[in-house]
Amino acid sequence: METTPPQADAGIPRLELENLTVGFRKKPVLSGISLGVRPGELLVLAGPNGSGKTTLLKTIGGILSPLAGRVLLDGRDTALMGKREKAGQISLLFQGTSPGWPFTVQELIAQGRFPYRGIFGAEHPGDQKAVAQAITAAGLLGFEDRPVTELSGGEFQRVLIARAMAQEAKLLLLDEPANTLDPKYQLMVMTLLRSITGTGAGALVSLHDLNLARLYADRIILIGNGTIAALGPPPEVLRKEIIGRVFDLPPDTPFTW
Ligand code: ADP
């Protein structure tokens, strides 16, 4: 008898937000957020400072609870998933998350594999391979034994992305991964992200640099005034009237995106 390969993912978004409201102590920061991130899609989150990008990413990642609405991962409500299961499927990368401890590069990347380990912390058969592949892809060969506290910002950012790669998560949530990096590292980080989404993961990435967004995003979600201001492919969203309105730019601002 012929067997059909499993098609669990067919048509189901990696991430789906259903009428989500996010905020603090019942004070909404963003409301009416509905969108889907498809497998393999890189969705860039853009918007002015303080518009709610970090709050949204933290809510999707389970660090904050939604004030209303639902977050679905592969069709399943994340509120009903255990902490460990969520940690295995969602990779979070926030700014300034340097560990105070001088782990080596190899050790920090290997932490991406923790969700796969049994209750006694035994190695999973794929662990070493996943870590080695991530080190190579992130251009970190030769850095394995360096303490992460002694790396430059760009090197450390690549270590964090390599950890996300080793984790083989289905969804990546990254807050300003390209911030403070020089152009070479910015491009490297974005290329790495594209190679991770190439394996079928979805990524929601906040970026301030609209040129990077134009180059690397499949779609851009622009937030402003407490909700979605625009959502679509870069040429649809990066339009003078939209960007000018959302970022409150003077009319004579040269439009460079
Ligand atoms: P962005 O990432 O777009 O710069 P944030 O999500 O950090 O914006 O912030 C959105 C809003 O939520 C801002 O008005 C900010 O002051 C507020 N905010 C952020 N963190 C907290 C907090 N812990 N408690 C209350 N309000 C907060």
Side-chain angles (χ1 to χ4, degrees):
M1 196 180 75
E2 245 184 58
T3 50
T4 344
Q7 293 284 328
D9 287 340
I12 301 178
R14 273 279 175 263
L15 171 72
E16 193 167 11
L17 307 180
E18 277 183 2
N19 208 9
L20 196 65
T21 301
V22 303
F24 301 91
R25 280 175 250 106
K26 307 216 163 140
K27 180 186 147 267
V29 171
L30 292 171
S31 51
I33 306 292
S34 295
L35 63 91
V37 179
R38 298 181 281 262
E41 185 175 32
L42 196 162
L43 186 63
V44 163
L45 177 60
N49 286 328
S51 58
K53 300 179 294 295
T54 306
T55 309
L56 179 61
L57 290 169
K58 284 186 172 170
T59 307
I60 299 168
I63 296 170
L64 294 170
S65 298
L67 300 186
R70 296 201 304 165
V71 176
L72 306 170
L73 191 66
D74 286 340
R76 294 182 54 218
D77 190 339
T78 54
L80 307 176
M81 287 166 58
K83 240 185 175 172
R84 193 186 177 88
E85 188 186 0
K86 240 189 291 189
Q89 305 203 14
I90 303 179
S91 175
L92 300 163
L93 198 160
F94 287 99
Q95 283 180 60
T97 41
S98 170
W101 188 257
F103 291 111
T104 65
V105 166
Q106 167 97 23
E107 284 166 345
L108 198 76
I109 295 172
Q111 286 176 9
R113 301 299 299 172
F114 282 0
Y116 294 92
R117 300 205 169 174
I119 44 170
F120 300 113
E123 271 204 2
H124 185 270
D127 286 350
Q128 283 182 10
K129 193 172 161 217
V131 171
Q133 280 175 345
I135 286 173
T136 308
L140 292 166
L141 282 171
F143 283 78
E144 294 91 328
D145 299 324
R146 294 265 302 269
V148 293
T149 43
E150 293 173 17
L151 298 177
S152 75
E155 289 158 353
F156 182 62
Q157 200 69 316
R158 277 188 289 149
V159 173
L160 293 181
I161 301 224
R163 182 174 64 179
M165 263 180 130
Q167 189 181 337
E168 295 174 332
K170 289 180 172 176
L171 177 70
L172 288 109
L173 303 172
L174 299 100
D175 198 10
E176 282 295 337
N179 215 12
T180 73
L181 301 184
D182 73 22
K184 178 182 154 192
Y185 282 126
Q186 285 188 342
L187 296 179
M188 189 179 259
V189 160
M190 295 310 294
T191 307
L192 272 176
L193 278 180
R194 279 268 58 142
S195 79
I196 301 178
T197 53
T199 66
L204 183 58
V205 182
S206 79
L207 287 181
H208 271 304
D209 186 328
L210 299 178
N211 278 316
L212 276 187
R214 179 174 56 76
L215 285 172
Y216 288 93
D218 293 307
R219 289 186 300 156
I220 298 174
I221 169 175
L222 188 62
I223 56 173
N225 290 321
T227 191
I228 299 178
L231 173 61
E236 274 178 31
V237 173
L238 299 178
R239 289 175 28 211
K240 190 169 185 172
E241 63 278 16
I242 297 177
I243 298 299
R245 174 169 46 82
V246 172
F247 287 92
D248 195 21
L249 302 176
D252 56 352
T253 304
F255 190 72
T256 54
W257 307 284

